[in-house]
Amino acid sequence: MQNGDLIFEMRLKYGMTQREVAHHLRIALTVYKLYESGIRPMKIDELNRMSNLFHISLNALLGISENLDFCGNEEIDYKYLKFSLRYIRRINRISQKELAKELKVSVPTVAKLEKHPEDATASYLKAFAEYFDISVDYICGKTMKKEVL
């Protein structure tokens, strides 16, 4: 799940209203309020737009790193993300079934996200990154620096 407190702080730092941020993310104001309060997990493309808007890392937005440094690439490389989700699981010799159990999702969810990573939620990427102790920015191809958390 995204770090709602950091999102709130960054919005204030940039002098933006909730409505302005919601407009930038292309979502309804009510949905944005749920994101900022940490009630609803963000979709990956919205998380990326927020990262770009506030010039901070995906790791910071997800609350898995205090390092706010923006990684450089503005777009998520979905081909790389697709490769990463499967490759990282395989080199660690973890089956989809084992990973699903560890991340508390279904096996079909793991299989689907390895084929269609654009459907991943912030909470899934956070859990995946924490489980394998690796940067979300790296998994998503926003940086080639293999930061270990």
Side-chain angles (χ1 to χ4, degrees), residues 7-8 12-13 82-83 95 103 119 132 140 149:
I7 293 169
F8 171 75
L12 293 181
K13 176 181 174 183
K82 180 178 180 177
F83 168 79
S95 69
L103 302 185
D119 295 335
F132 291 108
C140 292
L149 303 174

Side-chain angles (χ1 to χ4, degrees), residues 1 3 5-6 9 33 37 65-66 69 86 109 123 149:
M1 188 81 73
N3 183 339
D5 292 336
L6 178 62
E9 290 171 20
K33 287 180 180 183
S37 64
S65 173
E66 293 182 15
D69 294 342
R86 188 171 184 186
T109 296
S123 55
L149 303 174

Side-chain angles (χ1 to χ4, degrees), residues 55-118:
H55 304 286
I56 59 175
S57 72
L58 296 173
N59 294 325
L61 281 172
L62 292 171
I64 56 178
S65 173
E66 293 182 15
N67 182 359
L68 299 179
D69 294 342
F70 187 67
C71 290
N73 294 339
E74 290 202 0
E75 295 306 316
I76 290 175
D77 183 340
Y78 286 103
K79 285 183 180 180
Y80 188 80
L81 177 57
K82 180 178 180 177
F83 168 79
S84 292
L85 292 175
R86 188 171 184 186
Y87 179 74
I88 291 167
R89 177 183 59 78
R90 284 184 163 184
I91 63 167
N92 285 282
R93 297 188 172 131
I94 305 280
S95 69
Q96 287 181 341
K97 184 177 180 180
E98 292 168 320
L99 183 60
K101 183 178 178 182
E102 289 295 326
L103 302 185
K104 297 178 176 71
V105 298
S106 68
V107 175
T109 296
V110 172
K112 176 188 174 197
L113 296 177
E114 285 185 1
K115 289 183 180 181
H116 303 285
E118 62 277 1

Side-chain angles (χ1 to χ4, degrees), residues 4-57:
D5 292 336
L6 178 62
I7 293 169
F8 171 75
E9 290 171 20
M10 295 305 293
R11 179 175 61 79
L12 293 181
K13 176 181 174 183
Y14 280 81
M16 298 178 77
T17 66
Q18 288 182 328
R19 185 174 308 280
E20 290 169 328
V21 176
H23 177 74
H24 178 78
L25 298 179
R26 301 179 209 136
I27 58 172
L29 176 59
T30 54
V31 172
Y32 174 77
K33 287 180 180 183
L34 293 173
Y35 290 163
E36 191 172 279
S37 64
I39 294 172
R40 181 174 172 177
M42 297 180 82
K43 294 178 184 172
I44 184 127
D45 59 328
E46 296 159 350
L47 185 72
N48 188 55
R49 281 190 221 112
M50 187 166 293
S51 167
N52 294 336
L53 175 66
F54 295 139
H55 304 286
I56 59 175
S57 72

Side-chain angles (χ1 to χ4, degrees), residues 128-142:
F128 186 92
E130 289 178 330
Y131 181 74
F132 291 108
D133 202 30
I134 195 163
S135 163
V136 174
D137 293 286
Y138 176 76
I139 294 168
C140 292
K142 286 184 67 98

